[in-house]
Amino acid sequence: LPHDSTCPSALDVHSLLPFMRDPKSARRHIMLNPRVAHEHDVCPSWHGDPRPLKSTLVPFATKFALEDRSCCPSVKGNNVHSVPYPSFASGLDLRTKERLRALTNPRLVRPLLVMGAFGIHGAGAATRTIVKAQCREKGTPDCMFMDLPIQQHHGTLAFSAATYERLVSLMLNATFCLEPNGDTPSRKGIIDAIVFGCIPVLFLPAQLKLWPWHLPDWSTFSVLLDPHSDNAVTQLRKIPPAKVALLRQQVARLARGLSYEIHDDMGDVVERSLINAWKLNDGPLFSHVPPPSSFAGQQPNLKAGAAGTGVVSKPMTTKDSLRSSPLLPFAGVLQHVPSVFSTSRSLVIILFVSILCSLMVVAWARPKGLKLWATRREHFEVSYVIIK
């Protein structure tokens, strides 16, 4: 969690951002919070500071966090947009990713109907207690519940390797994954379930508004249940097989865009988040953001330090990314437009250049004019030459 001793002030943040000159340029800066951005998850500089004046630009910056106000009113800060949790599928090399895609094929039969793995805590503790009991009441092969033995590792929460292996195995073998809310509506397990081909089962309407840039229509790939009306497992058993097949197909499509990749042009979380941020700030330049499935089948370019390449290439600059991006057809032209003309100081620069050019012309022409009219004889000689 942030602490006063480690949090920079808004002025400190602004001093490191020399191109943050006005609200418009401030929106082109991105601040990232690796938590849900609630009260105790952010530094005071996340909000900005009315004193001194320069630090008031920080609130205009675009901000990324794990939640935003579309789902969670408790999120702090302005211009906050949510990005998904890093999943088990993030950072995999191409060979492992292909193996994972084969294992999550929606046509494969899964032996387990429902799985659940969560602790009892937070605002959703009551719901979690009910759902856990309902799962254990049914038992296998209808439902299997896994307790998560949490360990402390260097001051952070962590699972053992054996816990991870069993958790992954359950998600790969289950058709539905129970994902009740905990401290907040979001949880990493929702993203893990999708990348492992498991249909997420939600229990809070606010969960349907998570990560709108990446998951705009939850009704096409998830199920929302009320555990108080009937046993959750019984309700899932009643869903027609045809609908289950459609849900699994959509989960497989979305999974391709819900990881943090080590390859370019894969339509991962980073690329899609930046595309949406550019669309938000630059207007008509981005009239449409393609869905994750449109990136399927593209041959990725290895990023710097990609696993298995054995080399580290030059980091991609903003200019390089603009040239190479298939989503920016006119980026090569746009990058040559000076950004200085977007500010009021351009008028001062133009005026200064005009005066300087005028002085240079006068300084060049004035001595020649004096020499022409110095004597009558020189005047006629020059006139004769000109006429000739």
Side-chain angles (χ1 to χ4, degrees), residues 350-371:
I350 293 174
L351 179 62
F352 175 77
V353 173
S354 301
I355 295 175
L356 181 62
C357 293
S358 301
L359 292 176
M360 293 177 62
V361 171
V362 171
W364 176 80
R366 184 174 179 81
K368 298 181 183 299
L370 291 176
K371 184 177 181 181

Side-chain angles (χ1 to χ4, degrees), residues 291-332:
S293 57
S294 66
F295 291 90
Q298 292 189 9
Q299 293 298 324
N301 299 321
L302 294 181
K303 290 182 179 178
T309 62
V311 295
V312 178
S313 59
K314 181 186 71 173
M316 177 173 287
T317 62
T318 303
K319 184 180 294 185
D320 295 332
S321 62
L322 286 173
R323 286 176 177 172
S324 62
S325 176
L327 303 173
L328 297 177
F330 301 106

Side-chain angles (χ1 to χ4, degrees), residues 1 9 26 55 57 60 67-68 75 123 129 143 154 162 168 172 226 263 285 310 316 330 346 365 375:
L1 291 173
S9 66
S55 65
L57 293 176
F60 290 97
E67 293 181 355
D68 57 32
V75 169
T129 301
C143 190
H154 299 297
V168 170
L172 286 173
D226 178 9
H263 307 98
L285 179 61
M316 177 173 287
F330 301 106
S346 61
T375 63

Side-chain angles (χ1 to χ4, degrees), residues 63-128:
K63 301 177 180 68
F64 289 168
L66 295 175
E67 293 181 355
D68 57 32
R69 290 181 181 173
S70 62
C71 74
C72 316
S74 299
V75 169
K76 303 299 179 181
N78 299 319
N79 305 324
V80 181
H81 304 277
S82 57
V83 293
Y85 290 79
S87 67
F88 280 111
S90 297
L92 300 180
D93 57 68
L94 290 178
R95 179 178 298 179
T96 306
K97 183 168 289 293
E98 287 300 323
R99 291 176 59 190
L100 177 61
R101 185 170 298 178
L103 290 173
T104 57
N105 188 327
R107 297 180 180 180
L108 296 178
V109 177
R110 299 202 165 195
L112 185 62
L113 179 64
V114 186
M115 67 81 60
F118 45 81
I120 307 299
H121 61 83
T127 301
R128 290 188 170 203

